[in-house]
Amino acid sequence: MKTMTIRGVSVGLAAALEAKKRRRGLSLNRTVLALIEEGLGVWDGKARNNGLRRLAGTWTEEEFMRFDEAVAPSGKTDEDLWR
């Protein structure tokens, strides 16, 4: 493995990396490596986990239908508000 140093990291970039690190629950080094690998399309072939996989497919069809019905009104425009 090669070791590299990156200089000239702006305050904004450092803050964004720290935020990404916290969201991913990884070390700063692992976060930076993962972002570079993803950006360049070069990774070890292991599946990436965005934390949502455990939620996939957990609703029953009935739960989905109830949810879909509950949010349906949010897709309609209230004409009185837009006059």
Side-chain angles (χ1 to χ4, degrees):
M1 295 241 158
K2 185 167 179 88
T3 299
M4 301 176 110
T5 301
I6 299 175
R7 293 181 179 84
V9 177
S10 70
V11 172
L13 178 56
L17 287 170
E18 284 292 328
K20 183 70 81 170
K21 171 189 93 152
R22 284 191 301 276
R23 284 193 302 274
R24 290 187 175 205
L26 300 171
S27 69
L28 181 59
N29 187 73
R30 185 62 216 140
T31 299
V32 170
L33 287 174
L35 290 170
I36 293 170
E37 289 171 347
E38 291 165 10
L40 296 175
V42 180
W43 55 82
D44 57 12
K46 295 179 185 173
R48 300 288 184 231
N49 183 0
N50 65 4
L52 298 176
R53 183 173 296 160
R54 65 184 172 80
L55 299 174
T58 58
W59 283 4
T60 65
E61 186 66 26
E62 180 185 343
E63 289 170 324
F64 169 73
M65 294 305 291
R66 285 197 332 252
F67 174 80
D68 199 39
E69 289 171 10
V71 298
S74 67
K76 295 179 182 169
T77 302
D78 186 339
E79 297 296 331
D80 292 335
L81 290 174
W82 291 97
R83 289 185 184 179

